[in-house]
């Protein structure tokens, strides 16, 4: 695991821990590294889990799908991001999301049940990790609140402007990249791709933004 320490150090879950403490806590939570090829499922809706995933490399999409194949993207996880924490921390909870590898990836699985029970080695850093987990969960709630704000808008145009404005504020710049391609952005905002493309063209003609691929620049009049 030592070669992954640069990723682990930068992860909020391990904030305040030394390298030795990180390696020790990985043993406490029965950490296991897995690799998955592009397109494969890490978690499937309908299952339950005691582990959460930490991205070591690659990226995954957290999605909801119905029986007809309609996809709603909840979030994208890149290196250093987590997924599955709320379900792993709730015994018996049934997943209503799936996690799919967007590209070949390496993932560290951490047993949250082990974290939330008394540490057999009584390590001093156990409490730090629990506090960090609470912070990670709180941040995830904020991200989903943002998504609710965007998708609750009435029109495709309003959803786009809400999302792009929030990304501009989050990245402290009117020129920024988003983590989604066009289809993924449509799935994230719960709109039809064709309708979204029409609105993007209108917004460019109106001089409100310039976009190319996943790069956007917001313009003010």
């Amino acid at each position: 695991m030592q070669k992954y320490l640069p990723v682990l150090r930068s992860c909020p879950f391990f904030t305040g821990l030394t390298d030795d403490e990180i390696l020790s806590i990985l043993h406490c939570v029965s950490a296991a590294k897995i690799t998955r090829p592009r397109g494969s499922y890490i978690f499937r809706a309908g299952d339950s889990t005691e582990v959460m995933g930490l991205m070591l490399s690659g990226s995954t999409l957290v999605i909801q799908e119905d029986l007809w194949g309609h996809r709603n993207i909840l979030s994208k996880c890149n290196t250093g991001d987590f997924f599955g924490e709320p379900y792993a921390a709730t015994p018996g909870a049934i997943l209503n999301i799936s996690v799919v590898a967007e590209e070949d990836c390496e993932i560290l699985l951490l047993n949250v049940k082990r974290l939330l029970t008394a540490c057999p080695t009584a390590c001093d850093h156990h409490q730090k990790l629990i506090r960090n987990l609470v912070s990670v969960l709180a941040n995830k709630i904020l991200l989903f609140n943002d998504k609710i704000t965007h998708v609750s808008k009435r029109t495709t145009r309003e959803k786009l402007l809400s999302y792009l404005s929030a990304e501009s504020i989050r990245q402290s710049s009117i020129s920024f990249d988003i983590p989604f391609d066009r289809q993924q952005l449509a799935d994230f905002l719960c709109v039809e791709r064709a309708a979204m493309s029409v609105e993007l063209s209108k917004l460019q003609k109106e001089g409100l933004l310039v976009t190319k691929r996943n790069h956007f620049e917001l313009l003010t009049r």
Side-chain angles (χ1 to χ4, degrees), residues 53-55 57-62 75-85 99-100 102-103 105 140 179-180:
L54 165 60
M55 298 301 302
S57 68
S59 62
T60 57
L61 295 174
V62 180
S75 62
K76 181 175 181 176
C77 299
N78 296 305
T79 299
D81 292 335
F82 281 98
F83 58 83
E85 319 93 281
V99 180
V100 184
E102 185 188 28
E103 55 188 356
C105 55
K140 188 62 66 73
F180 304 120

Side-chain angles (χ1 to χ4, degrees), residues 1-2 5 8 13-14 17-33 51 54 108-123 125-126 129:
M1 291 295 176
Q2 290 194 0
L5 279 173
L8 300 178
F13 187 62
F14 296 105
L17 299 175
T18 66
D19 288 356
D20 288 341
E21 287 175 331
I22 291 174
L23 294 173
S24 175
I25 207 69
L26 291 180
H27 174 73
C28 291
V29 297
S30 303
K33 185 180 78 72
V51 298
L54 165 60
L108 192 64
L109 299 178
L110 309 174
N111 191 305
V112 177
K113 184 178 180 181
R114 291 285 302 274
L115 173 62
L116 298 177
T117 56
C119 179
T121 60
C123 55
H125 42 272
H126 197 82
L129 208 62

Side-chain angles (χ1 to χ4, degrees), residues 25 59 61 64 72 74 80 82 85 96 109 113 118 120 122 131 160 163 165 183 186 192 194 212-213:
I25 207 69
S59 62
L61 295 174
Q64 289 179 321
N72 172 20
L74 300 180
F82 281 98
E85 319 93 281
N96 72 338
L109 299 178
K113 184 178 180 181
R131 288 194 296 270
L160 275 168
Y163 172 72
S165 177
Q183 184 59 60
E192 292 294 332
K212 184 177 182 181
R213 297 182 184 274

